[in-house]
Amino acid sequence: MTFARSPRIVRLAAVTAAALFAFGLSQPAAAQWKWKDKSGRVQYSDLPPPPNVGDADILQRPSGSAARKPPPFAANSAQAAAAAMAASAAASGPEAGAKGVEPELEAKRRKAAEEEAAKRRADEEKQKAAKAENCQRAKANLRALDDGMRMARVNEKGEREILDDKARAEETKRTRDVIASDCAR
């Protein structure tokens, strides 16, 4: 069973397509704004008017938009960026427009300086703790050297050798130098 295209079905399809096209043209543009600028001219846009336009001068808003926000995906990103800059400049005054970024930048700088100072303090604390530990070990080593205990150390070959009087005197001098540098308050 085959279906032949009848002229009646073709005409019906053409009329339906034309009706749909006409209906689409008759619909208002989505997100259409209408306002009067400061010189009194009527302006139309898909973006909201600049912030310096009062609510009384806005003649038409898109349906469902009580706020003055630009649409999430503006057709022209340059216009959206200009509108956002104008909004921030008008909200913070003429002088603050150029300095609008400075408080954020200053806060970042201050935070970085605080973090660096905290890192420096932590490093100083680690060094202080290491010096205190070295001081305690050097004092214990000096007591052992002064008590005359037999002491040994491992040489470069990995062999154990007993300290003689000369090596004991050198080790005592080195230990006293460590105590002088690490135990000084």
Side-chain angles (χ1 to χ4, degrees):
M1 181 171 177
T2 60
F3 287 84
R5 290 189 182 166
S6 70
R8 188 172 167 198
I9 292 177
V10 172
R11 261 186 275 147
L12 181 63
V15 170
T16 305
L20 287 173
F21 181 72
F23 178 74
L25 289 177
S26 69
Q27 293 299 311
Q32 189 67 38
W33 290 85
K34 180 178 173 184
W35 72 91
K36 284 187 182 178
D37 62 7
K38 59 183 172 184
S39 63
R41 288 181 286 172
V42 176
Q43 301 289 325
Y44 298 91
S45 177
D46 60 342
L47 298 175
N52 61 355
V53 175
D55 286 337
D57 292 332
I58 298 176
L59 304 174
Q60 179 182 347
R61 298 174 192 263
S63 60
S65 70
R68 297 172 57 129
K69 294 181 183 173
F73 299 101
N76 185 344
S77 61
Q79 285 179 343
M85 284 191 352
S88 67
S92 56
E95 300 86 23
K99 299 179 183 179
V101 180
E102 281 189 27
E104 293 175 10
L105 185 60
E106 190 62 33
K108 286 182 182 179
R109 285 182 187 156
R110 199 175 317 116
K111 183 178 178 185
E114 288 173 359
E115 288 175 355
E116 190 172 323
K119 184 179 177 183
R120 222 178 303 120
R121 282 191 300 270
D123 287 344
E124 288 173 1
E125 289 297 320
K126 283 181 184 178
Q127 288 177 354
K128 198 183 242 185
K131 277 190 169 191
E133 186 178 341
N134 286 344
C135 176
Q136 296 227 341
R137 286 184 182 183
K139 285 181 178 179
N141 193 21
L142 184 62
R143 276 192 301 265
L145 286 167
D146 287 343
D147 286 344
M149 297 174 114
R150 180 178 265 184
M151 299 188 82
R153 66 175 167 200
V154 178
N155 63 14
E156 299 85 32
K157 296 178 185 176
E159 300 169 341
R160 187 173 173 182
E161 60 182 28
I162 305 292
L163 295 180
D164 59 0
D165 289 338
K166 181 180 176 193
R168 191 178 207 70
E170 289 173 359
E171 188 66 24
T172 302
K173 182 183 179 316
R174 191 188 68 76
T175 304
R176 287 183 197 270
D177 290 343
V178 170
I179 290 173
S181 67
D182 289 350
C183 296
R185 300 281 173 196

